[in-house]
């Protein structure tokens, strides 16, 4: 599949293609290694939660913030 073909796809077709790609990746025999910075971010977030400094919002609040 090439870029012009992808651009012609509908949203539903885009989502179906993405699902097929994720499914194919899930069945790969080799594991994809996450970059080191992923672990660093997760560690920072975990520490923030454990210290009680993390703030949580609902998905609806998030949607409202992203629309602004």
């Amino acid at each position: 599949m090439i870029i012009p073909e992808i651009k012609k796809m509908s949203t539903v077709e885009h989502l179906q293609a993405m699902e097929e790609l994720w499914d194919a990746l899930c069945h790969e025999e080799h594991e994809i290694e996450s970059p080191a910075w992923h672990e660093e971010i997760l560690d920072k977030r975990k520490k923030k939660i454990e210290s009680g400094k993390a703030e949580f919002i609902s998905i609806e609040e998030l949607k409202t913030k992203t629309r602004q």
Side-chain angles (χ1 to χ4, degrees):
M1 191 173 289
I2 58 174
I3 301 297
E5 292 174 349
I6 293 171
K7 289 183 177 182
K8 291 178 186 175
M9 294 167 58
S10 69
T11 301
V12 171
E13 290 169 324
H14 282 128
L15 291 170
Q16 289 171 337
M18 287 173 37
E19 291 216 6
E20 289 179 35
L21 286 168
W22 276 117
D23 188 54
L25 285 171
C26 288
H27 293 94
E28 291 274 327
E29 289 189 27
H30 63 280
E31 192 171 315
I32 300 169
E33 190 173 321
S34 293
W37 61 268
H38 280 188
E39 186 174 357
E40 292 168 11
I41 289 173
L42 292 173
D43 286 342
K44 285 179 184 177
R45 290 178 181 175
K46 184 177 178 182
K47 287 176 184 171
K48 197 171 185 180
I49 291 168
E50 290 171 347
S51 71
K53 295 179 181 176
E55 295 181 22
F56 298 93
I57 61 172
S58 70
I59 192 70
E60 291 305 319
E61 290 172 298
L62 177 62
K63 288 178 183 179
T64 301
K65 284 185 175 194
T66 58
R67 289 183 194 136
Q68 296 174 355

